[in-house]
């Protein structure tokens, strides 16, 4: 049969994986003498895998993760305060279905961003949507959106994804615009949408970050109600790498 006709039909169906290589797939099956049902099954499976990979790629792009890293390369022996079982539980993604939160606290370099990213990536592979933002970028986005009268759009954008990841809460203070905007997002997501938050500050210091103890308490109340907190109390992995390279801590900036 003329493969051009076949390709045309495959394209009409949107079967791009098969449409790109019909000769190879047909040759393989006749060489290996596979049954029709086996051939069809392999074809369908490959097409589905291909489509899933494309969808995953789209979700990764939309998530704005700064990089992708999986938990497989995380060195748990370096962070003994971290309970690997609890991390594995988080990686199952159960918290997402219940609209719960994961909070990673600890000093710089202990792997908070890495863990947040690997949890987000795992969720993306499970078919969820995610959106990553640093607290500082959020503050800037709010300012910009406000100038254009688009604060409501910000609230919608950050309420939409299955998981909202906010990294580096605590390095910069939220202002009179970004603090109540985040509060609205957190209130709307409460028990509906999961969040992964990272901070170098303990909960008692959150009042200062948001410039308002009452707001911070109300926010924390909602965040912590259904949540898992990882309090990481280890050394910085960045410093370890620098020490290994022969640099003294005093030289490190
Ligand atoms: P934090 O967000 O807590 O400041 P990061 O997650 O950015 O720390 O980690 C700092 C660097 O060290 C990153 O390059 C990260 O990939 C790496 N890193 C941190 N902890 C580990 C670990 N336990 N195993 C492997 N790499 C790690
Ligand atoms: Mg970080």
């Amino acid at each position: 049969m003329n493969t051009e006709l076949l390709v045309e039909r495959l394209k009409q169906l949107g079967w791009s994986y098969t449409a790109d290589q019909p000769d190879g797939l047909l040759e393989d099956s006749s060489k290996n003498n596979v049954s029709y049902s086996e051939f069809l099954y392999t074809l369908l499976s490959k097409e589905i895998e291909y489509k899933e990979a494309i969808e995953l790629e789209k979700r990764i792009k939309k998530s704005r993760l700064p990089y992708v890293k999986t938990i497989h390369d995380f060195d748990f022996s370096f962070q003994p305060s971290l309970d690997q079982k609890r991390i594995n539980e988080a990686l199952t993604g159960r918290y997402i279905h219940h609209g719960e939160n994961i909070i990673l606290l600890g000093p710089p370099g202990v792997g908070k961003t890495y863990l947040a990213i690997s949890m987000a990536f795992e969720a993306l592979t499970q078919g969820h949507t995610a959106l990553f933002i640093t607290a500082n970028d959020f503050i800037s986005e709010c300012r910009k959106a406000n100038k254009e009268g688009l604060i409501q759009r910000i609230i919608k954008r950050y309420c939409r994804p299955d998981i909202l990841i906010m990294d580096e809460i605590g390095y910069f203070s939220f202002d009179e615009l970004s603090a109540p905007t985040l509060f609205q997002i957190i209130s709307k997501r409460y028990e509906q949408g999961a969040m992964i938050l990272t901070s170098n500050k303990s909960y008692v210091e959150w009042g200062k970050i948001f410039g308002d103890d009452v707001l911070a308490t109300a926010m924390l109340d909602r965040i912590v109600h259904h949540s898992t907190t990882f309090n990481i109390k280890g050394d910085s992995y960045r410093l370890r790498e620098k020490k290994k390279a022969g640099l003294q801590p005093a030289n490190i900036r």
Side-chain angles (χ1 to χ4, degrees):
M1 157 158 204
N2 182 345
T3 30
E4 267 174 36
L5 286 175
L6 195 62
V7 167
E8 200 185 298
R9 285 288 193 243
L10 287 164
K11 281 190 175 157
Q12 280 174 333
L13 274 175
W15 287 28
S16 28
Y17 178 84
T18 317
D20 278 352
Q21 48 205 317
D23 294 332
L25 291 167
L26 290 168
E27 249 176 63
D28 276 357
S29 68
S30 60
K31 242 193 261 160
N32 301 328
N33 207 16
V34 295
S35 65
Y36 289 128
S37 56
E38 240 178 293
F39 171 68
L40 193 58
Y41 183 78
T42 310
L43 202 70
L44 290 169
S45 303
K46 286 196 167 160
E47 196 62 51
I48 288 172
E49 271 170 37
Y50 179 74
K51 283 196 165 47
E52 282 177 351
I54 287 180
E55 288 305 315
L56 174 61
E57 210 47 56
K58 277 191 205 158
R59 284 196 301 279
I60 293 173
K61 222 173 172 183
K62 275 184 92 175
S63 73
R64 297 208 238 152
L65 288 182
Y67 58 85
V68 169
K69 230 170 170 180
T70 68
I71 197 70
H72 305 293
D73 297 319
F74 192 85
D75 181 0
F76 280 94
S77 67
F78 185 74
Q79 251 5 302
S81 76
L82 208 53
D83 185 345
Q84 194 169 351
K85 268 200 214 134
R86 288 175 71 223
I87 293 284
N88 287 338
E89 165 58 30
L91 290 164
T92 64
R94 257 189 286 273
Y95 70 100
I96 306 164
H97 298 280
H98 302 135
E100 296 179 2
N101 305 317
I102 306 278
I103 302 135
L104 299 152
L105 302 177
V110 293
K112 300 182 297 299
T113 302
Y114 183 163
L115 289 167
I117 285 176
S118 58
M119 285 175 193
F121 178 70
E122 203 56 36
L124 290 168
T125 61
Q126 290 163 9
H128 296 290
T129 55
L131 187 56
F132 178 103
I133 183 106
T134 62
N136 195 34
D137 284 348
F138 179 80
I139 296 164
S140 311
E141 258 191 41
C142 285
R143 269 188 214 137
K144 192 166 170 264
N146 190 48
K147 269 189 207 151
E148 294 158 15
L150 296 173
I151 272 293
Q152 286 307 318
R153 200 183 276 187
I154 290 270
I155 295 172
K156 261 198 197 145
R157 180 187 304 153
Y158 289 97
C159 284
R160 206 177 298 129
D162 297 336
I163 318 176
L164 171 63
I165 305 113
M166 189 169 282
D167 196 20
E168 298 184 346
I169 295 174
Y171 285 115
F172 297 93
S173 293
F174 282 67
D175 55 23
E176 283 167 7
L177 179 66
S178 50
T181 305
L182 182 61
F183 178 71
Q184 283 199 59
I185 293 167
I186 286 169
S187 298
K188 284 191 195 266
R189 294 189 69 93
Y190 178 59
E191 294 184 335
Q192 306 289 326
M195 289 187 290
I196 302 175
L197 308 176
T198 84
S199 180
N200 61 331
K201 299 269 185 345
S202 64
Y203 291 139
V204 284
E205 294 170 282
W206 281 38
K208 266 188 251 150
I209 305 171
F210 294 102
D212 181 338
D213 278 333
V214 178
L215 188 76
T217 308
M219 225 188 270
L220 269 177
D221 198 49
R222 286 161 178 77
I223 294 169
V224 179
H225 187 195
H226 305 289
S227 68
T228 304
T229 300
F230 293 94
N231 232 317
I232 314 171
K233 291 192 174 77
D235 294 329
S236 164
Y237 200 85
R238 289 192 195 101
L239 290 190
R240 180 193 103 138
E241 289 191 327
K242 293 206 170 179
K243 273 183 202 161
K244 262 193 183 165
L247 291 163
Q248 292 304 306
N251 299 335
I252 296 161
R253 302 220 152 238

